[in-house]
Amino acid sequence: MKLAVTRIGNSRGVRIPKTVIEQVGLGDSAELEVVSGKIVISPAPSRKGWAEAFRKKGGRGEDGLLDEGNIPRAKWDDDEWEW
C-alpha cells in the first residue's frame, strides 16, 4: 500500500486506513520503532489489570522502596530537607 507523507510542522505523518487499524488492533496510542531501516508501528502494550496487581502487592506488603534501608543517609538528609 502506498501512502502520502504529509508535512505536520517540522514532522511528517501518514494516514493509516481504518481497515489496517482494525486489522492490527491499534488504539489511541502506539509503539514506534525502527527495525532494519523500516518504521514499525504496533499497538501500545495494555496496562489492563495493573491497578489490581498493585492492590494485591500492597496487601502483601510488597510495595516498599527497593533501596529502603540500604543507602546510608547523609547529614544533610536530616538537616536540610523540609517536609
Side-chain angles (χ1 to χ4, degrees), residues 2-69:
K2 190 172 184 176
L3 300 173
V5 178
T6 305
R7 180 179 291 273
I8 305 172
N10 290 331
S11 301
R12 303 283 190 270
V14 294
R15 290 194 172 153
I16 303 171
K18 181 180 178 183
T19 55
V20 174
I21 290 171
E22 290 171 347
Q23 286 177 13
V24 299
L26 196 61
D28 291 334
S29 61
E31 295 279 329
L32 184 135
E33 60 184 324
V34 177
V35 178
S36 301
K38 297 179 180 169
I39 298 170
V40 178
I41 301 172
S42 54
S46 171
R47 293 186 178 187
K48 185 177 180 179
W50 279 30
E52 180 60 25
F54 282 116
R55 271 193 292 281
K56 286 180 181 177
K57 289 186 93 42
R60 293 190 303 256
E62 298 176 356
D63 57 346
L65 297 174
L66 294 176
D67 62 359
E68 195 169 336

